Amino acid sequence: MAVLEQEDRRFFYHPGVDPIALIRAFFSNLKAGRVVSGGSTLTMQLARLEEGRPRTLWSKLWEAFRAFRLEAGHDKEALFSFYACQVPMGGNIVGLEAAAWGYFGRAPKDLSWAESALLAVLPNDPALIYPGRNHERLKRKRDNLLEKLFHRGLLPELDRDLAVSEPVPDRMRGFPKKTRHLLDTLAAGHTKGPFESTIDDRIQETAQRIFDEHAVELKSRGIYNAALLVLENRDGRVLAYIGNVGWSTAEGDGRDVDIVRSPRSTGSLLKPFLYAAMLEEGTLTTNMLVPDVPTVYKGYKPENFDRTYKGAVSASQALATSLNVPAVRLLKQYGVGRFRDLLAGAGMTTLTRSNDDYGLSLILGGAEGTLFELTGLYAGMARRLREGPGSGFHFRPVVLTGEEGPETRFPPGPGAVWLVFESLVEANRPEGENFWKSFEHRRRIAWKTGTSIGMRDAWAIGTTPELTIGVWAGNADGRGVSGLTGLTAAAPLMFDLFRALPLSEGWFTRPDGDLRTVSLCSESGYPATAACPAVVAQVPLLAAGVAPCPYHRVVHLGREGKRVHSGCADVASMRHESRFILPAVMEYYYRSYHPEYRSAPPWREGCEEIRETDRPIGILYPPVDTAIYIPIQLDGSRGKAIFKMVHRDPSEKVFWHIDDHFMGSTTLFHELEVDVAPGEHLLTVVDEEGNRAERRFRVLPQNR
């Protein structure tokens, strides 16, 4: 209203040119002896803005012609909108909306009468009069327009008086920069604006405040960048988007990079999807023991973050504690190609290399992903669980209103997702969050961290029934930082934001329609047999059964407590016990964490009947199917290899042979330092009872 009163009162009544205004301008200019009024309508001004012609008589005629054409092709509302977007508003500001934000920090619809009137007078002479320049003259023009509005009955007297008393801003306030990276990304991918986003201003400001609170601590550790994404699980709407926060004062710190859309090493973030897939098909249960022992596959040797081994852990514990070795062994079982196809089908677009190129490292950060897609994957699992069987896997987050995220394929159903989330809830939280279960108002969060090789990327993604929050921390230029982990750098930001938001304390409803009850061995998590105590557990409805428990069996003991069989002892004299027996290497590490574990009783002399899983000997080094390299020492002498093995009975004496040559014997600590020439070899270890183990290996040539 104020703009039309100032620029073109009869805008809605003329065909593009206003004869009355032209006649009035002619006489005004004649009386003044110079040009004081151009008589241009708003449509003619729009034509001039589009053409950029100099102000001459011929230009005025051209503007009139263009104004007629514009009026013929567009309605009045569209023409006013075009004008509002292109009109200069002082300094380098163009458009009414930009001016409203730049001068007053608010949208045009939220402006007062005084503020609206001030913007309305700026296009008259935008190069000379604007906030910060010719202050008194600007105020007079504003007040004159307010007086006109009052005399025309468009502005009540009280409102006029209050508006006139409002001060005129003396400078530009500056534009809000809450989602600068999002705007840049949207502008790069779209040809037209403005953009109406799904961002929730309250959540965005809360997230920014929390990031600022952590800035000093992270900066002191050499961590200068962070990014965040908050999604609403119901429809995938992006509620908060921090593309990058930079805390370094150095040039080139990468703060302009939109980390939310930048591929980075995923760390351990993909593990839940592998577990869900294997739970769904029935090759895994959450209780099932998976090996956690030194492992080598064609030279690739994964290690746990703490460089220790637990022998065997339940799948649920392996996921909650993010153990690397069990995850790699499970991926080997499931198949790299199948897993890559699963992720790509779920919508992960960054998997552009071949299966062989990724290999088993795919599960430990060998692939790259974006915070945008990875947070969307977790939100998709939450949505799958919210909506139950038959729901789509709504993957891609929605940034702009009116968008629809595509439905993508993710085979694991609500039952498998529920079991995975129940494991992720139990993950150890960062310092200060460890006692969350003791709080009266506790909030369950299924969450996972990730840390890339070289400590370049720290991730944390958590989900509740309502929201999924993804956080990345690190350095945008890829510099690694000692001690940078998802648990210590990204997770505190994520948990602080969850705590700051007014979310419900409810949890996902268990999808009983997609789960069934089975009996599992209490210690191994495999399907129960007569040889083991059973517990009741849940598995996905359509999960296929796996082989019965390989670790529980009935053993037969003689009077002295040693193992016997019917070929060497009287059946009537035997005692029968159900025992939990692990292979020697698994047992070696397992019993360090389980003092209650009892090794299998030894065989009575003359009664030996050794199964592979009963062998008391296990070779740790050299690994299976690998080549070893023995370096030359600093003094130029040949180095030596240190071979390792384990025995159920540490006091047993073990004899070492390489290629049928006796190398020595050990007791208690079974390690042997030997000089081995390059080439193919056979290691054999034998105990005093005749139990033996063999391992073929190859020694690479030494380079001088």
Side-chain angles (χ1 to χ4, degrees), residues 639-695:
K640 294 184 178 181
I642 300 178
F643 291 168
K644 301 179 182 180
M645 56 85 61
V646 295
H647 198 289
R648 292 188 193 278
D649 183 359
S651 64
E652 188 77 15
K653 190 173 186 179
V654 175
F655 304 92
W656 301 71
H657 301 78
I658 295 181
D659 302 330
D660 295 329
H661 297 290
F662 176 68
M663 306 301 295
S665 61
T666 57
T667 55
L668 294 179
F669 301 104
H670 298 295
E671 297 183 0
L672 187 69
E673 187 179 59
V674 293
D675 182 2
V676 189
E680 303 285 342
H681 299 281
L682 174 65
L683 171 66
T684 305
V685 290
V686 184
D687 67 10
E688 293 177 304
E689 303 296 328
N691 299 304
R692 62 192 291 134
E694 295 180 344
R695 177 71 47 83

Side-chain angles (χ1 to χ4, degrees), residues 218-226 244-249 253 255 472 474-476 479 481:
L218 290 173
K219 183 179 177 181
S220 69
R221 295 166 53 191
I223 303 168
Y224 295 114
N225 300 96
N244 194 344
V245 174
W247 298 305
S248 172
T249 57
D253 64 353
R255 71 180 64 191
W472 174 92
N475 291 311
R479 283 176 295 154
V481 179

Side-chain angles (χ1 to χ4, degrees), residues 174-256:
F175 296 99
K177 298 180 180 179
K178 298 177 182 178
T179 57
R180 178 172 65 89
H181 295 88
L182 173 60
L183 179 60
D184 291 343
T185 298
L186 291 175
H190 298 74
T191 57
K192 294 183 178 179
F195 307 110
E196 186 175 349
S197 77
T198 62
I199 298 298
D200 183 303
D201 193 59
R202 177 182 56 85
I203 296 178
Q204 181 76 23
E205 290 182 351
T206 301
Q208 187 65 58
R209 173 179 57 80
I210 289 172
F211 269 45
D212 292 341
E213 291 172 356
H214 284 262
V216 174
E217 191 271 335
L218 290 173
K219 183 179 177 181
S220 69
R221 295 166 53 191
I223 303 168
Y224 295 114
N225 300 96
L228 169 138
L229 195 71
V230 179
L231 303 181
E232 186 176 53
N233 295 333
R234 185 181 68 252
D235 51 18
R237 291 189 306 134
V238 176
L239 302 181
Y241 188 116
I242 298 179
N244 194 344
V245 174
W247 298 305
S248 172
T249 57
E251 291 292 331
D253 64 353
R255 71 180 64 191
D256 293 328

